[in-house]
Amino acid sequence: MAEKKIMLGNEAIARGAYEAGVKVSAAYPGTPSTEISENIVKYEEIYAEWSPNEKVAMEVAIGASISGVRAMASMKHVGVNVASDPLYTASYTGVGGGLVLVAADDPGLYSSQNEQDTRCVARAAQVPVLEPSDSQEAKDFVKFAYEVSEKYDTPVIVRTTTRLSHSQGMVSLQGREEIPDKPYERNISKYVMMPAMAKGRHVHVEGRMEAMASDGCGFPVNRAEYKDASIGFITSGIPYQYVKEVFPDASVLKLGMVHPLPRKLIEEFASKVEKLYIFEELEPVIEEQVRSWGISVLGKEVFTRQGEYSANMLRRILLPETANEQQQPAEVPARPPILCPGCPHRSVFTVLKKLKIHAAGDIGCYTLGAVAPLSVIDTTICMGASISSLHGMEKAKGKEYVKDWVAVIGDSTFMHTGVNSLMNTVYNQGTGTVIIVDNSTTGMTGHQDHAATGKTLKGETVPAISIYRFCKAIGIEHVVEVNAFDLPLLEKVIKEETARDEVSVIITKSPCVLLKGNVFPDVCVPVPEKCKKCGACLKPGCPALTKKEDGSIAIDATMCNGCGLCMQLCPFDAIAKEPKSC
Amino acid sequence: MTTKSIMIAGVGGQGTLLTSRILGGITQEAGYDVKLSEVHGMAQRGGSVVTFVRYGERVAEPIVEEGQADILIAFERLEALRYAHFLKKDGALIINDWRIDPITVVTGMAEYPDNIIENLEKKYKVYTINAMEEAIRIGNAKAFNVIVLGMAARHMDFAKEDWLRIIEKTVPPKTIEINKKAFLLGYGD
């Protein structure tokens, strides 16, 4: 009997890559896709890397595929936007060795800036999409994706969602398939996409999509489960599980390939059930196509385009009489995510707030500086947008306007796309100030290395790209490195640099407090006899500090990381440090 | 058997993932089909987090619906209150009697409710422990979550020895002894 293991969806995708004989994997971390690479790296047979961004990762995978081996790129949904340039044209070139892009969507916005649906991108790029429903399928579908990729000469998207990526389920393991490398043959009509060649390849693209739509009716991943003919569901992915939970006796057409759609199979299913629902999270991608064939269905008029679905939601809408007898949820204070105790970003934001400076923000933990009590970040759009949007503000309103603005961007995000934005500011003579909050890691996604940390995904030590020297090299005169916790110096530097009539960069350096080995040896403790109850220490909103009923403060020793920010802010020396006891 | 549903609620960073992995391990070894659903990323940064564990002969949905949980393990009082309505009528509510103020309370936008445990006891079968104090007493504050798990284990059908074996397999090697000690402390043995 095959060995069985409980696996996270992302772990199962990694296992699928291993079993399919994948040799190259490239990715940029992003919730909910990160653990794919973190698990792939455990297989010595696969070369795996963190690339600086998703476009680069996609191109690395494309190159590996052209050279004749199976390759994978993985990223979150918004990463697919970054990678869409190579993706759209790789759709034309097709593949050498099988090429799979794992795209992780985030319905419900657990950790993202939007709720976009990768299936829409796939339709535009004319690339097939497979969508598994549990960990076992996640592994199996990745393997099937490589067969499809090579048979139809196409990149294949395996679409996962947060719920699938971060759910664990049983998976039976198999061995690795040893796929011989395809011999490389120069073929410019396939791999050089200049107009004349691309015209020819476009014909191929249309042909293969038609072939897949037809052959897809026989793909085992597309499965009609005929039971009660009075009600039928067309569904895929995690929503399939909700249908099975609530309607175990309904007829279900489970689509494992959601693009292109197996039209004949769908028409046949539709003809055999009385009432037909299409149950798909986010956009009505299946629904609109099925409707366009003249089939009558119920979809988004009953099920929302927003957020994550659940069995409970399906029950409430279609079977309200059987919905669980529910207790009302209690009214409780919200607990939104916050910066950790000891986070160096809190220190930087405390100074910006004191100086009443606005920040054009970026993607990372520091986005949390937008909300109270820090309230410093004014804008967050996408990776790298802080620097370029600040530049746009300056060009719109003049350089005086940005004197009380800065761009705030993390080290990993800077390496991702911030570098391009900064080159633009230099080239087009912007005068803004950029603060690179350098905590030596990709924090929000759980501490991944990048080109400026000096470590690879495989754990090898490599020369770290110096952000300071990079900024100098592109011609920025004023580049200052400051310890993020040195409040007086930080304040002085920010005042000086924002006043300047030329571009400047401040690199605030202090490693993420959650990084292994980065432990402050002490904890902060209140000195009650000196406390004047002024509340200065509470202003940055450190979760380890609370105000007691008498107005004095308590510091939770189990949460405090001993950064000493509160101590620096206390005008009365009423906070001291002592060695950690536990 | 019918599918059993367990929820672990807490504050991001309190170790709900480790606890759910121990639960996943023990249910899997007992031969059940099991699904776990976790929260990663931004929500983990000090926010309210919940992890679902479902096991039985065949499990479809990886998340627990309101009114469906057999056991709710809450690592903090306010989080017990937030998710209590997910419990079945006769479900068990295990609470770490500990308070962590959310930022909405710290900034004065909201008040931390009084008498949470007393009020929950009126509706549910509540079992409480100050696991943080106990964990500090045995030498490692971080082991508090395994103390709470030990207490919850009393309401499940797995042998003590199996729990200890799974803990040994799941936690980092350096923390095996302290975690076993913590489990037994919560288990009451």
Side-chain angles (χ1 to χ4, degrees):
Chain A
M1 205 176 99
E3 188 194 342
K4 277 197 160 193
K5 204 180 161 208
I6 183 164
M7 282 184 159
L8 207 57
N10 281 346
E11 201 180 344
I13 289 168
R15 179 73 195 189
Y18 165 77
E19 291 183 8
V22 167
K23 287 198 174 150
V24 172
S25 154
Y28 180 79
T31 312
S33 71
T34 314
E35 301 80 7
I36 299 169
S37 290
E38 290 181 330
N39 282 289
I40 279 187
V41 74
K42 294 173 187 166
Y43 300 108
E44 282 176 9
E45 295 86 343
I46 307 177
Y47 167 80
E49 69 171 36
W50 291 129
S51 306
N53 63 42
E54 295 85 353
K55 170 175 147 62
V56 174
M58 187 75 222
E59 290 157 354
V60 169
I62 289 170
S65 160
I66 292 173
S67 84
V69 309
R70 289 188 166 182
M72 176 179 276
S74 57
M75 55 198 64
K76 68 182 294 173
H77 60 332
V78 287
V80 176
N81 303 338
V82 180
S84 63
D85 195 5
L87 173 66
Y88 276 64
T89 302
S91 168
Y92 276 41
T93 63
V95 305
L99 176 62
V100 170
L101 162 61
V102 183
D105 285 5
D106 190 16
L109 294 142
Y110 285 88
S111 198
S112 300
Q113 65 268 42
N114 75 28
E115 236 177 343
Q116 70 185 53
D117 188 327
T118 293
R119 296 175 304 164
C120 300
V121 179
R123 285 193 75 192
Q126 293 180 282
V127 170
V129 183
L130 300 181
E131 189 171 18
S133 297
D134 58 25
S135 294
Q136 178 69 53
E137 285 190 357
K139 191 198 78 164
D140 295 343
F141 281 25
V142 166
K143 293 168 80 173
F144 181 59
Y146 282 98
E147 287 174 30
V148 171
S149 173
E150 287 166 1
K151 179 168 180 197
Y152 295 94
D153 192 13
T154 178
V156 176
I157 293 178
V158 172
R159 180 197 188 222
T160 171
T161 60
T162 303
R163 190 57 67 188
L164 176 69
S165 281
H166 291 167
S167 287
Q168 298 191 44
M170 303 303 295
V171 179
S172 48
L173 308 183
Q174 285 152 310
R176 178 169 166 95
E177 210 180 324
E178 284 309 332
I179 308 287
D181 294 3
K182 284 191 181 161
Y184 176 73
E185 277 173 44
R186 184 169 190 266
N187 183 352
I188 61 169
S189 63
K190 178 163 156 59
Y191 291 123
V192 179
M193 284 301 93
M194 49 169 78
M197 326 297 200
K199 270 182 196 162
R201 290 303 296 177
H202 196 177
V203 176
H204 161 76
V205 169
E206 302 295 331
R208 91 175 166 224
M209 296 312 280
E210 271 175 37
M212 275 187 284
S214 164
D215 297 354
C217 299
F219 285 173
V221 297
N222 294 325
R223 183 175 76 222
E225 301 169 2
Y226 288 109
K227 287 188 178 174
D228 178 2
S230 68
I231 180 166
F233 289 90
I234 298 176
T235 186
S236 67
I238 280 279
Y240 166 77
Q241 306 291 2
Y242 305 144
V243 171
K244 294 304 276 183
E245 190 79 35
V246 181
F247 290 96
D249 299 320
S251 294
V252 178
L253 177 58
K254 180 188 185 303
L255 295 178
M257 184 171 73
V258 292
H259 185 65
L261 291 176
R263 180 167 176 172
K264 283 211 172 102
L265 188 64
I266 290 173
E267 285 172 340
E268 189 190 339
F269 183 80
S271 72
K272 287 185 180 168
V273 295
E274 283 169 39
K275 196 164 198 180
L276 179 58
Y277 290 98
I278 295 187
F279 193 60
E280 56 185 326
E281 276 174 336
L282 301 178
E283 297 307 308
V285 174
I286 301 172
E287 180 186 336
E288 284 180 354
Q289 293 176 78
V290 173
R291 272 188 208 281
S292 76
W293 305 332
I295 296 172
S296 156
V297 297
L298 285 157
K300 293 296 171 188
E301 62 270 66
V302 278
F303 310 120
T304 175
R305 290 166 92 127
Q306 295 157 26
E308 190 186 23
Y309 284 8
S310 67
N312 216 23
M313 163 213 170
L314 184 59
R315 214 187 294 276
R316 272 198 316 270
I317 295 172
L318 296 188
L319 296 174
E321 65 285 359
T322 68
N324 282 331
E325 192 188 318
Q326 277 177 24
Q327 307 268 5
Q328 281 301 310
E331 282 200 15
V332 295
R335 190 190 297 276
I338 43 167
L339 296 173
C340 303
C343 176
H345 302 330
R346 180 177 285 107
S347 181
V348 176
F349 290 146
T350 300
V351 176
L352 290 175
K353 182 163 187 170
K354 182 181 173 194
L355 298 176
K356 296 195 169 63
I357 287 179
H358 300 263
D362 224 296
I363 305 289
C365 289
Y366 43 90
T367 309
L368 295 169
V371 291
L374 295 163
S375 310
V376 167
I377 300 275
D378 282 21
T379 64
T380 298
I381 313 296
C382 66
M383 298 286 284
S386 57
I387 301 172
S388 19
S389 59
L390 179 69
H391 181 74
M393 290 177 195
E394 177 182 353
K395 293 303 171 187
K397 294 282 188 73
K399 59 187 175 190
E400 286 310 307
Y401 180 80
V402 293
K403 287 272 191 280
D404 61 353
W405 278 79
V406 292
V408 169
I409 185 168
D411 46 333
S412 188
T413 309
F414 180 73
M415 299 309 287
H416 179 278
T417 32
V419 288
N420 303 61
S421 305
L422 189 59
M423 285 190 279
N424 179 56
T425 301
V426 172
Y427 171 46
N428 289 303
Q429 295 178 287
T431 69
T433 299
V434 175
I435 300 183
I436 300 172
V437 286
D438 182 356
N439 63 358
S440 311
T441 191
T442 316
M444 182 61 85
T445 46
H447 306 102
Q448 291 75 32
D449 282 293
H450 57 74
T453 66
K455 274 258 161 67
T456 67
L457 174 58
K458 288 271 186 195
E460 303 140 325
T461 303
V462 291
I465 292 175
S466 160
I467 294 176
Y468 176 87
R469 281 161 61 191
F470 173 84
C471 296
K472 283 293 209 183
I474 61 170
I476 300 174
E477 187 73 21
H478 302 281
V479 185
V480 192
E481 287 185 309
V482 192
N483 177 337
F485 287 107
D486 189 341
L487 293 183
L489 182 60
L490 196 52
E491 183 173 334
K492 177 173 167 279
V493 168
I494 293 173
K495 279 184 186 161
E496 282 170 7
E497 299 308 327
T498 49
R500 253 181 236 292
D501 275 348
E502 56 187 301
V503 59
S504 57
V505 174
I506 302 167
I507 305 168
T508 62
K509 289 185 84 84
S510 185
C512 172
V513 73
L514 299 183
L515 269 181
K516 271 191 190 140
N518 178 36
V519 187
F520 291 98
D522 302 319
V523 288
C524 296
V525 287
V527 185
E529 59 276 18
K530 290 187 181 173
C531 179
K532 305 268 194 255
K533 303 172 185 175
C534 68
C537 58
L538 292 165
K539 279 187 182 158
C542 173
L545 270 72
T546 46
K547 195 174 169 179
K548 296 197 283 193
E549 277 182 10
D550 68 356
S552 67
I553 59 140
I555 301 177
D556 185 331
T558 65
M559 292 175 79
C560 176
N561 279 314
C563 73
L565 176 64
C566 56
M567 218 170 112
Q568 287 194 64
L569 293 171
C570 177
F572 308 108
D573 295 328
I575 297 174
K577 274 192 183 180
E578 64 179 37
K580 239 174 226 173
S581 65
C582 190
Chain B
M1 70 170 247
T2 54
T3 299
K4 292 259 183 212
S5 298
I6 301 174
M7 284 175 68
I8 306 158
V11 177
Q14 276 192 309
T16 54
L17 293 187
L18 175 73
T19 317
S20 69
R21 278 173 195 190
I22 297 172
L23 276 166
I26 199 154
T27 48
Q28 181 207 350
E29 288 225 349
Y32 292 115
D33 186 24
V34 53
K35 283 190 178 165
L36 281 84
S37 209
E38 313 173 339
V39 174
H40 300 216
M42 182 179 261
Q44 249 184 306
R45 295 279 171 270
S48 166
V49 291
V50 61
T51 297
F52 304 109
V53 182
R54 302 188 75 215
Y55 64 99
E57 273 155 40
R58 173 83 185 93
V59 181
E61 188 188 12
I63 55 182
V64 177
E65 299 173 47
E66 285 100 328
Q68 200 191 52
D70 296 281
I71 301 173
L72 168 59
I73 302 170
F75 286 157
E76 198 269 353
R77 290 204 298 265
L78 183 63
E79 298 314 307
L81 182 59
R82 190 185 313 280
Y83 294 105
H85 65 288
F86 276 79
L87 273 171
K88 276 181 182 161
K89 268 187 183 155
D90 56 348
L93 174 48
I94 320 292
I95 306 177
N96 177 29
D97 189 1
W98 190 253
R99 169 175 170 166
I100 299 174
D101 283 0
I103 196 70
T104 46
V105 169
V106 174
T107 54
M109 283 152 58
E111 278 193 27
Y112 196 97
D114 292 324
N115 309 319
I116 290 178
I117 288 174
E118 291 77 359
N119 288 329
L120 286 171
E121 276 171 341
K122 289 175 195 161
K123 280 189 184 168
Y124 305 100
K125 280 193 283 182
V126 176
Y127 307 85
T128 63
I129 186 169
N130 187 329
M132 191 59 89
E133 264 182 29
E134 297 287 330
I136 292 170
R137 194 170 56 77
I138 62 167
N140 190 337
K142 284 186 182 151
F144 85 92
N145 46 25
V146 179
I147 299 180
V148 186
L149 177 66
M151 207 167 167
R154 278 286 187 190
H155 302 270
M156 297 167 70
D157 297 326
F158 304 107
K160 186 174 77 185
E161 295 67 34
D162 292 334
W163 282 105
L164 293 174
R165 197 164 37 79
I166 297 294
I167 288 170
E168 209 170 303
K169 277 171 69 176
T170 313
V171 304
K174 276 188 194 162
T175 65
I176 289 175
E177 283 316 307
I178 187 82
N179 276 306
K180 281 163 101 174
K181 201 168 161 186
F183 180 84
L184 291 174
L185 200 157
Y187 197 75
D189 189 307

Short mmCIF file of all heavy atoms in Angstrom, two decimals, chain A residues 348-358 376 403-406 435 487-498 506:
data_model
loop_
_atom_site.label_atom_id
_atom_site.label_comp_id
_atom_site.label_asym_id
_atom_site.label_seq_id
_atom_site.Cartn_x
_atom_site.Cartn_y
_atom_site.Cartn_z
N VAL A 348 10.17 53.32 13.42
CA VAL A 348 10.24 54.27 12.29
C VAL A 348 8.93 55.06 12.19
O VAL A 348 8.94 56.29 12.03
CB VAL A 348 10.51 53.50 10.97
CG1 VAL A 348 10.47 54.45 9.78
CG2 VAL A 348 11.84 52.76 11.04
N PHE A 349 7.80 54.36 12.35
CA PHE A 349 6.51 55.04 12.23
C PHE A 349 6.28 56.03 13.37
O PHE A 349 5.62 57.05 13.20
CB PHE A 349 5.37 54.01 12.20
CG PHE A 349 5.32 53.21 10.92
CD1 PHE A 349 4.91 51.88 10.91
CD2 PHE A 349 5.67 53.79 9.71
CE1 PHE A 349 4.87 51.15 9.74
CE2 PHE A 349 5.62 53.07 8.52
CZ PHE A 349 5.22 51.74 8.53
N THR A 350 6.84 55.71 14.54
CA THR A 350 6.70 56.63 15.69
C THR A 350 7.34 57.97 15.37
O THR A 350 6.79 59.03 15.66
CB THR A 350 7.34 55.98 16.94
OG1 THR A 350 6.66 54.76 17.20
CG2 THR A 350 7.22 56.89 18.16
N VAL A 351 8.50 57.92 14.72
CA VAL A 351 9.18 59.17 14.35
C VAL A 351 8.41 59.90 13.24
O VAL A 351 8.20 61.12 13.31
CB VAL A 351 10.63 58.88 13.89
CG1 VAL A 351 11.31 60.17 13.43
CG2 VAL A 351 11.43 58.24 15.02
N LEU A 352 7.96 59.15 12.24
CA LEU A 352 7.21 59.79 11.14
C LEU A 352 5.95 60.46 11.68
O LEU A 352 5.59 61.56 11.28
CB LEU A 352 6.84 58.76 10.07
CG LEU A 352 8.00 58.22 9.23
CD1 LEU A 352 7.51 57.11 8.30
CD2 LEU A 352 8.67 59.32 8.42
N LYS A 353 5.31 59.80 12.62
CA LYS A 353 4.09 60.37 13.19
C LYS A 353 4.39 61.66 13.95
O LYS A 353 3.69 62.66 13.82
CB LYS A 353 3.42 59.35 14.11
CG LYS A 353 2.12 59.88 14.67
CD LYS A 353 1.25 58.81 15.23
CE LYS A 353 -0.08 59.46 15.59
NZ LYS A 353 -1.11 58.52 15.92
N LYS A 354 5.48 61.61 14.72
CA LYS A 354 5.87 62.80 15.49
C LYS A 354 6.13 63.97 14.54
O LYS A 354 5.77 65.11 14.83
CB LYS A 354 7.14 62.47 16.29
CG LYS A 354 7.60 63.63 17.16
CD LYS A 354 8.85 63.29 17.94
CE LYS A 354 9.35 64.54 18.66
NZ LYS A 354 10.72 64.36 19.14
N LEU A 355 6.74 63.69 13.40
CA LEU A 355 7.08 64.75 12.45
C LEU A 355 5.92 65.10 11.51
O LEU A 355 6.07 65.91 10.60
CB LEU A 355 8.31 64.34 11.62
CG LEU A 355 9.60 64.09 12.43
CD1 LEU A 355 10.71 63.60 11.52
CD2 LEU A 355 10.04 65.35 13.17
N LYS A 356 4.78 64.43 11.72
CA LYS A 356 3.58 64.65 10.88
C LYS A 356 3.88 64.44 9.40
O LYS A 356 3.50 65.25 8.54
CB LYS A 356 3.00 66.04 11.12
CG LYS A 356 2.48 66.25 12.54
CD LYS A 356 1.61 67.50 12.61
CE LYS A 356 0.86 67.62 13.92
NZ LYS A 356 1.74 67.77 15.11
N ILE A 357 4.59 63.38 9.11
CA ILE A 357 4.94 63.07 7.72
C ILE A 357 4.01 61.99 7.17
O ILE A 357 3.71 61.02 7.85
CB ILE A 357 6.42 62.64 7.64
CG1 ILE A 357 7.29 63.88 7.85
CG2 ILE A 357 6.74 61.95 6.31
CD1 ILE A 357 8.77 63.62 7.81
N HIS A 358 3.53 62.20 5.96
CA HIS A 358 2.71 61.20 5.27
C HIS A 358 3.61 60.17 4.60
O HIS A 358 4.69 60.53 4.14
CB HIS A 358 1.86 61.83 4.16
CG HIS A 358 0.92 62.88 4.63
ND1 HIS A 358 -0.40 62.62 4.90
CD2 HIS A 358 1.11 64.20 4.88
CE1 HIS A 358 -0.99 63.73 5.29
NE2 HIS A 358 -0.11 64.71 5.28
N VAL A 376 0.25 56.30 9.79
CA VAL A 376 1.28 57.02 9.04
C VAL A 376 1.17 56.75 7.54
O VAL A 376 1.37 57.64 6.71
CB VAL A 376 2.69 56.63 9.56
CG1 VAL A 376 3.76 57.11 8.62
CG2 VAL A 376 2.90 57.21 10.95
N LYS A 403 7.54 67.54 0.48
CA LYS A 403 8.48 67.77 1.59
C LYS A 403 7.99 67.11 2.88
O LYS A 403 8.78 66.80 3.76
CB LYS A 403 8.67 69.28 1.83
CG LYS A 403 9.51 69.97 0.76
CD LYS A 403 10.99 69.93 1.10
CE LYS A 403 11.82 70.81 0.20
NZ LYS A 403 12.11 70.20 -1.10
N ASP A 404 6.67 66.97 3.04
CA ASP A 404 6.20 66.24 4.21
C ASP A 404 5.65 64.86 3.83
O ASP A 404 4.73 64.35 4.44
CB ASP A 404 5.19 67.06 5.03
CG ASP A 404 3.95 67.42 4.23
OD1 ASP A 404 3.95 67.15 3.01
OD2 ASP A 404 3.01 67.95 4.83
N TRP A 405 6.25 64.29 2.82
CA TRP A 405 5.95 62.92 2.41
C TRP A 405 7.25 62.11 2.33
O TRP A 405 8.31 62.66 2.06
CB TRP A 405 5.32 62.88 1.01
CG TRP A 405 3.84 63.16 0.97
CD1 TRP A 405 3.25 64.39 1.03
CD2 TRP A 405 2.79 62.21 0.85
NE1 TRP A 405 1.89 64.26 0.95
CE2 TRP A 405 1.57 62.93 0.84
CE3 TRP A 405 2.75 60.81 0.73
CZ2 TRP A 405 0.33 62.29 0.72
CZ3 TRP A 405 1.51 60.19 0.61
CH2 TRP A 405 0.32 60.93 0.62
N VAL A 406 7.10 60.80 2.56
CA VAL A 406 8.19 59.87 2.22
C VAL A 406 7.54 58.65 1.56
O VAL A 406 6.33 58.45 1.66
CB VAL A 406 8.97 59.38 3.47
CG1 VAL A 406 9.77 60.51 4.11
CG2 VAL A 406 8.04 58.72 4.49
N ILE A 435 12.27 55.78 2.36
CA ILE A 435 12.76 55.05 3.53
C ILE A 435 12.64 53.56 3.23
O ILE A 435 11.54 53.05 3.01
CB ILE A 435 11.97 55.40 4.81
CG1 ILE A 435 12.10 56.90 5.11
CG2 ILE A 435 12.47 54.58 5.99
CD1 ILE A 435 11.42 57.34 6.39
N LEU A 487 16.10 56.54 17.89
CA LEU A 487 15.08 57.56 17.64
C LEU A 487 15.65 58.96 17.37
O LEU A 487 15.24 59.61 16.40
CB LEU A 487 14.07 57.62 18.79
CG LEU A 487 13.17 56.40 19.00
CD1 LEU A 487 12.19 56.66 20.14
CD2 LEU A 487 12.41 56.05 17.75
N PRO A 488 16.59 59.47 18.21
CA PRO A 488 17.08 60.83 17.97
C PRO A 488 17.75 60.97 16.60
O PRO A 488 17.49 61.93 15.86
CB PRO A 488 18.10 61.06 19.10
CG PRO A 488 17.77 60.05 20.14
CD PRO A 488 17.18 58.88 19.43
N LEU A 489 18.57 59.99 16.24
CA LEU A 489 19.27 60.06 14.95
C LEU A 489 18.28 59.94 13.78
O LEU A 489 18.37 60.66 12.79
CB LEU A 489 20.34 58.96 14.86
CG LEU A 489 21.19 58.96 13.59
CD1 LEU A 489 21.94 60.29 13.43
CD2 LEU A 489 22.19 57.80 13.58
N LEU A 490 17.33 59.03 13.94
CA LEU A 490 16.34 58.81 12.90
C LEU A 490 15.56 60.10 12.63
O LEU A 490 15.34 60.50 11.48
CB LEU A 490 15.40 57.69 13.36
CG LEU A 490 14.50 57.01 12.34
CD1 LEU A 490 15.28 56.51 11.14
CD2 LEU A 490 13.76 55.84 12.99
N GLU A 491 15.20 60.78 13.70
CA GLU A 491 14.44 62.02 13.57
C GLU A 491 15.27 63.09 12.84
O GLU A 491 14.79 63.76 11.92
CB GLU A 491 14.03 62.53 14.96
CG GLU A 491 13.17 63.77 14.90
CD GLU A 491 12.64 64.18 16.27
OE1 GLU A 491 12.49 63.33 17.16
OE2 GLU A 491 12.39 65.39 16.43
N LYS A 492 16.53 63.18 13.23
CA LYS A 492 17.42 64.18 12.61
C LYS A 492 17.58 63.88 11.12
O LYS A 492 17.45 64.79 10.26
CB LYS A 492 18.78 64.10 13.32
CG LYS A 492 19.85 65.01 12.77
CD LYS A 492 21.09 64.96 13.68
CE LYS A 492 22.30 65.58 13.02
NZ LYS A 492 23.00 64.69 12.07
N VAL A 493 17.81 62.61 10.80
CA VAL A 493 18.03 62.23 9.40
C VAL A 493 16.78 62.46 8.55
O VAL A 493 16.86 62.97 7.43
CB VAL A 493 18.49 60.75 9.33
CG1 VAL A 493 18.45 60.23 7.90
CG2 VAL A 493 19.89 60.59 9.90
N ILE A 494 15.63 62.10 9.08
CA ILE A 494 14.39 62.28 8.30
C ILE A 494 14.15 63.77 8.03
O ILE A 494 13.80 64.16 6.91
CB ILE A 494 13.18 61.62 9.01
CG1 ILE A 494 13.35 60.09 9.03
CG2 ILE A 494 11.86 61.99 8.32
CD1 ILE A 494 12.31 59.34 9.84
N LYS A 495 14.38 64.60 9.04
CA LYS A 495 14.21 66.05 8.84
C LYS A 495 15.16 66.56 7.76
O LYS A 495 14.75 67.31 6.86
CB LYS A 495 14.51 66.79 10.16
CG LYS A 495 13.36 66.81 11.14
CD LYS A 495 13.78 67.67 12.33
CE LYS A 495 12.77 67.65 13.44
NZ LYS A 495 13.37 68.10 14.71
N GLU A 496 16.40 66.15 7.84
CA GLU A 496 17.40 66.63 6.86
C GLU A 496 17.06 66.17 5.45
O GLU A 496 17.10 66.95 4.49
CB GLU A 496 18.79 66.08 7.22
CG GLU A 496 19.46 66.82 8.35
CD GLU A 496 20.73 66.09 8.82
OE1 GLU A 496 21.16 65.10 8.17
OE2 GLU A 496 21.27 66.52 9.86
N GLU A 497 16.74 64.90 5.31
CA GLU A 497 16.59 64.33 3.96
C GLU A 497 15.29 64.79 3.29
O GLU A 497 15.27 65.02 2.08
CB GLU A 497 16.66 62.79 4.00
CG GLU A 497 17.99 62.25 4.52
CD GLU A 497 19.21 62.83 3.80
OE1 GLU A 497 19.11 63.12 2.58
OE2 GLU A 497 20.26 63.01 4.46
N THR A 498 14.21 64.95 4.07
CA THR A 498 12.97 65.42 3.43
C THR A 498 13.10 66.89 3.01
O THR A 498 12.41 67.34 2.09
CB THR A 498 11.74 65.26 4.36
OG1 THR A 498 12.07 65.82 5.64
CG2 THR A 498 11.34 63.82 4.52
N ILE A 506 16.85 56.75 2.91
CA ILE A 506 17.22 56.41 4.29
C ILE A 506 16.98 54.91 4.45
O ILE A 506 15.86 54.43 4.20
CB ILE A 506 16.34 57.18 5.30
CG1 ILE A 506 16.47 58.69 5.09
CG2 ILE A 506 16.70 56.79 6.73
CD1 ILE A 506 15.41 59.51 5.83
#
